[in-house]
Amino acid sequence: MRENMNEKCAVVGIFGHEEASKLAYFSLHALQHRGQEAAGISSADGEKVHTIKDRGLVMKVFNEENLKTLKGSSAIGHTRYSTAGDDSILDAQPVFARYDLGEMAIVHNGNLTNAEEVRNRLIKRGAIFQTFMDTENLIHLIAKSEKDHLLDRIIDAVQKIEGAFSLVFLSRTKMFAMRDRFGFRPLSLGRLPNGGYIVASETCAFDLVGATFIRDVEPGELLIFEDKKEPISIKIFEPTPKHCIFEYVYFARPDSSVFGQSVYETRKNMGKELALIEPVEADLVIPVPDGGVPAAIGYAQASGIPYEMGIMRNHYIGRTFIEPTQEMRDLKVKMKLSPMTDIIKGKRVIVVDDSIVRGTTSRRIIRMLKEAGASEVHMRVSSPPTTDPCFYGVDTPSKDNLIAANMSTQGICDYIEADSLAYLDEASLLRSVNAAADDDNYCTACFTGKYIV
Ligand code: AMP
C-alpha cells in the first residue's frame, strides 16, 4: 500500500451561513500553503450534499459558476498535499458517500497509523475501496456501524482509528468536527460575523472571512453543529496533548495562531535562541524565503547583525515539470530563488532556514550565494536536525533520505559546502514555543525519534 496519503492538508468547515461554500472557498485560499495538489468543497442544503473537487490549486478548481452549484448553509473544504503516488482525482477530498442514513462528506488532516489493518478487516467483510486514502476507512466504518444515528456511528468509527486526525464531517443537516486525543494537527473554532460558525486548520482563515477566534477544538473532543444552536461538545477521548512542533517550525502560516500561540512569535524566538547558542561573525543575516524569514529576523535582532533580503523568491513558480538534466534542475532552482548580487557580493553571510530535510535545497542555495560573490556563507537552521520520518501527517521522506539521519553535522556542512553549519537544539526549540524542557505536550518525533503512537 502507498505511504503518505493525507500529509500536510488543510480542512475547513462553515456552518449556518447563507454563503457557506463561498466562505469555504475563501478559507481554502488562506490555507493553500498546506496543500497545492488538489482542492474540494462539499456543501449541504438540507436535502443533498453537493461536492466539487479536482486536482490543482483552489483558484483552478473553483469558479463563480461551479461555486453557485454548491448550495446550502453549511460546507466543508480541503486542500491536499501529496508528493508520492497516485495523483488521481479520486484521492482529492472531501470524500463523499451515500449510505443507509443518507449522504455524507468527510475532510481529514493527519495520518491514520492503523489504516492498513482497518482496511484489511473491512475488505475481508466485503468492503470495496475506490482510493488509497485512509479517510475512506471512516466512510466504511460509519456506513457499516449498526447504530441508528450518525452521531453514534461517528463515535463508533473514531474509536476504531488510531493516529493523527483533525476531521470535519458534513451530513445533509449537521456538521461535526473532531480532533484525535493527541491533538497532533491543529483545528480551531471561530464565530462568523452573522452568528454562524467556522472550524479551520489555521486561524489565518478566520481573519480572511472576518470570523472571531473562540478557542481550539480540544484534543479528543467532538463538536456537533446543528440548527442555530451553539455547538455541542462531547469528550470522546481523554486528552493527552502531543501538538506537532513542526507546525511552529515550518507548516503553519506566520499570521496564524496554532495551539494557542502566534506562529510568527515562536518562529522569531527560534531565530533569537539560535543567535544566542550559535553565534558567528558576519556582515549580514539573510533568510531563505519564505520559511526562514521570521527566524532570520529573530537572529538579526538578537545578534545585532543587519538583516537583509539576500535572496529573491519568485512567487509565481509552482511545480515545474523540467527535471531530467542537472543543468535544467539548477535553472529551475534559480527560477524560484535568485541571489541579490549587489547585497551579498563580498559579504560574510549568515543564511537562515527553518529546516534541512534532504539537504538539496541548502546545497543549491549556498552554491548560488557563493557564485554571486558571498565571501563566506554560514548556514543556521532554526530547528534541530530532522532525523526521523513523521507518521502523523507531515510529509517527510524515509529515514534513508533524511540527511541528518545519515550524516554528522560536519558531514552535512561539507555536503552543502557551507563555511559553517549549526542547528537549534531541542531545549532551545521548546523554549521558543514557551514550553519547559520537560514539557511533554509536544510531539518532537521528527527531531528525536520519540514516537507516541
Ligand atoms: P531539502 O533539505 O532540500 O529537502 O529542503 C529543505 C527545505 O524544505 C527547507 O527550506 C524547508 O523550508 C522545506 N521543508 C521542510 N519540511 C518540508 C515539508 N514537509 N514539505 C515541503 N517542504 C519542506
Side-chain angles (χ1 to χ4, degrees):
M1 206 168 104
R2 224 179 68 208
E3 286 181 279
N4 296 337
M5 260 86 49
N6 280 305
E7 59 282 275
K8 204 188 166 194
C9 302
V11 296
V12 64
I14 305 283
F15 194 83
H17 195 286
E18 277 173 21
E19 308 233 59
S21 58
K22 277 202 189 123
L23 293 192
Y25 164 77
F26 285 120
S27 303
L28 290 185
H29 272 292
L31 300 168
Q32 184 79 81
H33 61 287
R34 296 180 76 90
Q36 299 92 45
E37 196 81 8
I41 296 174
S42 290
S43 72
D45 60 10
E47 315 253 301
K48 271 184 82 58
V49 173
H50 313 269
T51 302
I52 291 175
K53 57 181 178 176
D54 205 346
R55 294 179 57 198
L57 298 175
V58 177
M59 199 148 71
K60 179 193 156 235
V61 176
F62 296 101
N63 54 53
E64 215 173 333
E65 284 312 302
N66 68 11
L67 270 176
K68 277 188 201 145
T69 67
L70 293 172
K71 296 192 195 93
S73 60
S74 55
I76 61 173
H78 190 262
T79 61
R80 173 170 178 269
Y81 179 99
S82 171
T83 47
D86 209 336
D87 291 335
S88 160
I89 182 213
L90 284 173
D91 277 6
Q93 297 198 21
V95 182
F96 167 81
R98 273 189 202 100
Y99 69 123
D100 61 333
L101 299 184
E103 297 184 344
M104 71 175 146
I106 307 180
V107 288
H108 173 202
N109 173 208
N111 247 54
L112 303 184
T113 47
N114 67 341
E116 204 165 340
E117 255 168 78
V118 172
R119 177 171 290 227
N120 289 340
R121 268 206 306 275
L122 286 162
I123 288 172
K124 275 204 184 111
R125 284 161 53 201
I128 296 166
F129 282 83
Q130 291 194 47
T131 74
F132 288 107
M133 286 186 291
D134 47 6
T135 314
E136 208 184 344
N137 290 359
L138 275 167
I139 291 276
H140 285 282
L141 291 171
I142 291 169
K144 282 181 186 289
S145 165
E146 314 251 296
K147 300 279 179 9
D148 293 330
H149 298 285
L150 177 57
L151 170 62
D152 297 321
R153 290 189 180 198
I154 289 174
I155 295 173
D156 234 16
V158 296
Q159 314 270 1
K160 297 194 170 81
I161 59 173
E162 279 164 25
F165 49 90
S166 284
L167 294 161
V168 192
F169 302 82
L170 186 71
S171 75
R172 289 174 295 189
T173 54
K174 299 189 186 102
M175 187 173 91
F176 305 85
M178 164 99 221
R179 239 171 127 203
D180 65 73
R181 72 189 77 192
F182 304 105
F184 284 116
R185 309 258 67 88
L187 190 64
S188 300
L189 170 67
R191 196 185 312 278
L192 293 167
N194 77 336
Y197 292 95
I198 176 170
V199 287
S201 296
E202 285 184 39
T203 59
C204 60
F206 296 1
D207 300 332
L208 185 69
V209 300
T212 42
F213 174 80
I214 300 175
R215 63 179 177 88
D216 283 347
V217 179
E218 294 294 324
E221 182 185 27
L222 173 67
L223 286 179
I224 306 154
F225 299 82
E226 193 177 0
D227 302 323
K228 297 239 175 278
K229 292 182 281 198
E230 289 228 338
I232 297 165
S233 158
I234 306 181
K235 194 202 258 183
I236 307 288
F237 304 110
E238 200 50 50
T240 41
K242 295 286 176 208
H243 303 311
C244 167
I245 208 152
F246 210 67
E247 289 279 351
Y248 287 132
V249 170
Y250 166 77
F251 249 13
R253 236 170 69 160
D255 57 338
S256 285
S257 156
V258 302
F259 314 134
Q261 299 188 82
S262 151
V263 173
Y264 179 72
E265 289 301 329
T266 58
R267 235 167 249 177
K268 216 164 72 175
N269 290 344
M270 291 170 206
K272 287 183 179 167
E273 292 280 343
L274 189 57
L276 298 178
I277 61 167
E278 296 293 355
V280 58
E281 256 186 52
D283 305 309
L284 299 175
V285 178
I286 68 167
V288 175
D290 293 325
V293 172
I297 292 173
Y299 195 104
Q301 286 178 358
S303 65
I305 300 170
Y307 173 90
E308 288 286 357
M309 194 167 144
I311 301 171
M312 182 70 210
R313 177 168 170 190
N314 185 335
H315 285 264
Y316 304 98
I317 310 275
R319 288 197 163 196
T320 41
F321 54 86
I322 305 163
E323 286 288 352
T325 64
Q326 189 57 45
E327 192 191 349
M328 287 296 143
R329 267 199 288 272
D330 289 346
L331 243 175
K332 189 177 123 179
V333 176
K334 278 196 199 138
M335 235 160 65
K336 203 169 200 168
L337 299 171
S338 24
M340 309 263 285
T341 308
D342 293 344
I343 304 288
I344 54 190
K345 198 167 182 187
K347 299 283 178 15
R348 296 168 301 167
V349 175
I350 299 171
V351 56
V352 180
D353 203 356
D354 55 80
S355 54
I356 296 181
V357 183
R358 291 182 176 82
T360 41
T361 307
S362 316
R363 187 179 156 98
R364 285 180 188 143
I365 286 170
I366 289 164
R367 209 170 259 187
M368 186 178 85
L369 293 172
K370 293 224 161 145
E371 277 169 14
S375 61
E376 290 171 23
V377 179
H378 301 277
M379 180 89 198
R380 292 291 177 273
V381 183
S382 60
S383 64
T386 307
T387 48
D388 293 83
C390 177
F391 302 110
Y392 315 130
V394 179
D395 171 41
T396 39
S398 64
K399 208 160 166 127
D400 299 347
N401 293 314
L402 289 171
I403 193 165
N406 301 290
M407 274 190 202
S408 65
T409 299
Q410 189 53 51
I412 300 170
C413 182
D414 295 343
Y415 172 76
I416 63 176
E417 297 167 4
D419 293 284
S420 77
L421 164 69
Y423 289 90
L424 197 63
D425 60 37
E426 197 193 343
S428 312
L429 175 64
L430 285 168
R431 249 197 322 278
S432 307
V433 304
N434 300 304
D438 58 353
D439 189 307
D440 62 355
N441 288 333
Y442 287 99
C443 175
T444 55
C446 51
F447 305 125
T448 59
K450 289 183 213 146
Y451 294 103
I452 292 114
V453 185

